[in-house]
Amino acid sequence: MTRVALLSRSANLAYFQPLLQARDDGLDVAVWPDPACLQAEVAVCWNPPAGVYADMPRLRLIHSIAAGVDNLLAGQDTRGLPVCRVVDPQLAQGMLQYVLWSVLHFHRKLDQALANQARAHWQRGVQVAAGDFRVGVMGLGELGGAIAAFLPSLGYDVHGWSRSPREIAGITVHAGQAAFDGFLAHCDVLICLLPLTDATRGILNARTFAALPQGAAVVNCGRGEHLVPADLIAALQSGHLRGAVLDVFAHEPLPPDDPLWRTPGVVVTPHMATMPTAATVAEQVVANIHRLRHGATLANTVDTSRGY
């Protein structure tokens, strides 16, 4: 029998217990803070307790319940153990829908219409063609690459930025730090879909915002730690930035007294852009547990030195 620990300090993962056991009745599943978690061989996690892996002497596998793993690695000693993530083909579709809504929010001036509605003020904003509205996508991995490749089909002028050179039909790709400012200059709306690493932490900062065109907007559906909130608020209050759509935050839920809730031009959504179904998570976790038992190659492993 394999013991599995469902570990989170910010969410109750108990709903995974019957889903995992339905796929393998030989699993002994414990839910944090049950002390039995510390004797588990497999940790299934979202935002696990600080330092918990070091207290699990039998641990053999660390598994995310999502595509991202930064919250599994931050401040933790993984002891060289394998770390796996969930890959769901539907994630790209969900993220595309969220990004497209965000792009339309600014391209079609829905932000201005909503602000005018609050004042009972009738004013039709000047509309521009999609080809004259530049969309920049930071991060051209599995999700960002698919989204950047789709947007030109709607007529948008799309620019992408990644750490290394890539070729994506229909978009202009800027690669490496030397090309970053040139990329930012071509963004009427900037979409952040980067993984969270030491290099990308705080990348949405005052310098980045200053390099964007006057009146640009920002959409962050990467990780909350990409954003320096005070810098965003300052850029909005100065009028340099027009608005922002934020789906992820360094501390979730976003505290009620956080100024982002009340900053004009900011749309806050509760980390809803996209997520794998619970059934998909359970299937992939159990499949990897079976691979672990039989010494087979694990699926969707992560390079912990890169963070993705």
Side-chain angles (χ1 to χ4, degrees), residues 46 50 78 86 127 135 147 152 223 229 266 276 289:
W46 178 259
T78 61
V86 171
Q127 298 293 320
V135 180
I147 289 166
R223 284 290 182 262
V266 173
I289 291 172

Side-chain angles (χ1 to χ4, degrees), residues 2 4 20-27 42 60-61 63 282-298:
T2 302
V4 178
L20 296 173
Q21 291 176 325
R23 289 160 176 80
D24 185 341
D25 58 11
L27 297 180
V42 178
R60 300 174 60 200
L61 170 64
H63 211 301
E283 288 168 5
Q284 294 191 17
V285 168
V286 171
N288 264 340
I289 291 172
H290 292 168
R291 293 185 183 100
L292 185 70
R293 283 179 186 162
H294 296 100
T297 301
L298 297 171

Side-chain angles (χ1 to χ4, degrees), residues 84-283:
C84 296
R85 65 191 186 100
V86 171
V87 175
D88 184 350
Q90 297 303 311
L91 284 175
Q93 182 180 28
M95 187 64 80
L96 172 60
Q97 293 165 349
Y98 185 92
V99 167
L100 180 57
W101 162 70
S102 300
V103 169
L104 289 169
H105 181 74
F106 295 111
H107 168 217
R108 296 305 306 271
K109 296 186 167 62
L110 296 174
D111 60 329
Q112 295 177 11
L114 290 171
N116 287 336
Q117 179 181 348
R119 301 185 294 125
H121 177 65
W122 181 281
Q123 181 178 11
R124 181 183 298 119
V126 176
Q127 298 293 320
V128 299
D132 295 324
F133 190 79
R134 300 166 297 179
V135 180
V137 180
M138 294 170 61
L140 299 176
E142 187 175 344
L143 296 180
I147 289 166
F150 174 82
L151 289 172
S153 70
L154 300 179
Y156 290 110
D157 177 13
V158 181
H159 293 252
W161 182 77
S162 64
R163 188 175 70 168
S164 56
R166 299 180 184 239
E167 290 187 9
I168 300 177
I171 82 167
T172 302
V173 176
H174 308 253
Q177 193 59 44
F180 190 49
D181 284 359
F183 159 73
L184 294 173
H186 290 88
C187 299
D188 293 314
V189 59
L190 175 66
I191 314 293
C192 181
L193 285 163
L194 291 165
L196 182 64
T197 66
D198 288 343
T200 65
R201 188 179 301 273
I203 195 169
L204 297 176
N205 56 31
R207 184 189 180 285
T208 294
F209 300 147
L212 291 170
Q214 174 75 30
V218 173
V219 177
N220 187 22
C221 36
R223 284 290 182 262
E225 292 86 350
H226 286 134
L227 176 67
V228 180
D231 290 358
L232 173 66
I233 292 171
L236 290 166
Q237 290 177 339
S238 74
H240 183 69
L241 291 186
R242 163 185 176 181
V245 171
L246 307 176
D247 187 55
V248 289
F249 305 90
H251 301 286
E252 298 182 357
L254 187 66
D257 60 350
D258 193 291
L260 289 172
W261 284 112
R262 288 165 292 279
T263 299
V266 173
V267 175
V268 170
T269 60
H271 205 146
M272 56 177 268
T274 194
M275 60 196 73
T277 66
T280 296
V281 173
E283 288 168 5

